[in-house]
Amino acid sequence: MEMATKPVIIGGRTAKKPLIAALLGGFLLLGALLSIFGLTGVAYAVPISGVGEFTVQFDKLNGSGFKMYGGVAEAGNAPQTPVFVNEMDKATIQGLRISKDFPALGIRVVIVASQPVSIDGLVQKATQINGNISFGSLTMKESYVGDTSNPVEKAAKEFTQGADSITIENGDIKTVYLFQQKVSLPGMKVYFEKLN
C-alpha cells in the first residue's frame, strides 16, 4: 500500500497580547528587582549590557581616578562598535536618568534617581559623550604598542587619558555597557514612557 504525502505549509502569526504581556511582565520584574535595590539603597556588581545602546543623562557627575581609552564593544546593531571606555574609582551623580527605547513595542523604559547616586568602580563603554567637562591633573599619553594585529588591544593601549578628578555637567551619554562594583540609588523610580 502506497501512501501519498502532501507537503503542508502551516502559516503562523504572533499572538501580540501574550507577547506584550510577557515582555511587560519581564520589565515589571526588572523594575521590582531594581526597586529592591532602591529600598536597600545598594547594589553590588551591576552590569548592564547586551540590550543595545541606551542613554545615561545627569545634571552633574563628580568622579575620581578617571581613565579613558579606546576599545571595541558589541552593540545591538553591530558586533564590533568603536567605543570610549571610561573608568572611575568613585563617582557621585546628581539628577541621574537612564533610558532605553524599544521602538517595536513603542515604549521607553526609564530609571531615575531623585537623590545623589554614589558609585564605586564604574566602567562604561560609550559611543557618544556630550556635556561640559573639566579635569583635575589631566594626562594624555600615546604609547608605542608595536606590531599587533589585534585592533582592540592597539586601541586600548596606544592612546590613554587619565585625571585625578573629573566633573561633567549636563551629561548626555550614549552607551552600550555599564558596570558598577557598588551603586547606591536613593529615591529610585522605574517607569515607562510612550514613544512618539
Side-chain angles (χ1 to χ4, degrees):
M1 175 185 232
E2 198 173 307
M3 299 188 75
T5 60
K6 285 184 174 180
V8 178
I9 299 174
I10 300 173
R13 24 176 251 166
T14 302
K16 290 182 182 175
K17 286 185 181 179
L19 175 66
I20 290 173
L23 284 171
L24 289 177
F27 289 136
L28 289 174
L29 181 62
L30 175 64
L33 181 64
L34 290 172
S35 294
I36 290 169
F37 292 145
L39 290 174
T40 61
V42 178
Y44 291 91
V46 180
I48 301 175
S49 74
V51 296
E53 190 174 74
F54 54 97
T55 303
V56 178
Q57 297 170 309
F58 49 84
D59 297 332
K60 188 173 186 179
L61 176 146
N62 290 311
S64 62
F66 171 77
K67 286 184 251 169
M68 184 176 81
Y69 49 90
V72 177
E74 183 176 319
N77 57 356
Q80 296 284 307
T81 301
V83 293
F84 303 102
V85 181
N86 300 297
E87 296 181 7
M88 288 182 219
D89 295 338
K90 293 190 177 296
T92 302
I93 302 173
Q94 298 169 5
L96 178 65
R97 175 185 161 99
I98 300 173
S99 60
K100 169 66 180 157
D101 291 353
F102 293 93
L105 299 174
I107 61 170
R108 173 182 295 132
V109 180
V110 181
I111 301 169
V112 295
S114 61
Q115 298 173 31
V117 172
S118 64
I119 299 172
D120 291 347
L122 174 65
V123 179
Q124 179 184 57
K125 296 179 181 180
T127 57
Q128 181 179 337
I129 302 171
N130 294 313
N132 302 319
I133 303 174
S134 60
F135 300 96
S137 300
L138 175 66
T139 303
M140 299 173 101
K141 185 169 97 172
E142 187 172 12
S143 302
Y144 176 70
V145 178
D147 291 335
T148 177
S149 60
N150 185 343
V152 176
E153 181 183 356
K154 188 173 175 78
K157 293 180 179 176
E158 192 170 58
F159 175 80
T160 59
Q161 181 175 329
D164 292 342
S165 64
I166 181 172
T167 300
I168 305 173
E169 294 182 345
N170 302 317
D172 188 340
I173 300 171
K174 306 291 184 216
T175 186
V176 296
Y177 177 87
L178 188 61
F179 174 83
Q180 304 98 15
Q181 286 179 349
K182 180 181 173 185
V183 61
S184 175
L185 294 161
M188 187 194 77
K189 290 182 186 174
V190 179
Y191 60 91
F192 300 96
E193 292 179 346
K194 199 170 190 175
L195 292 175
N196 297 330

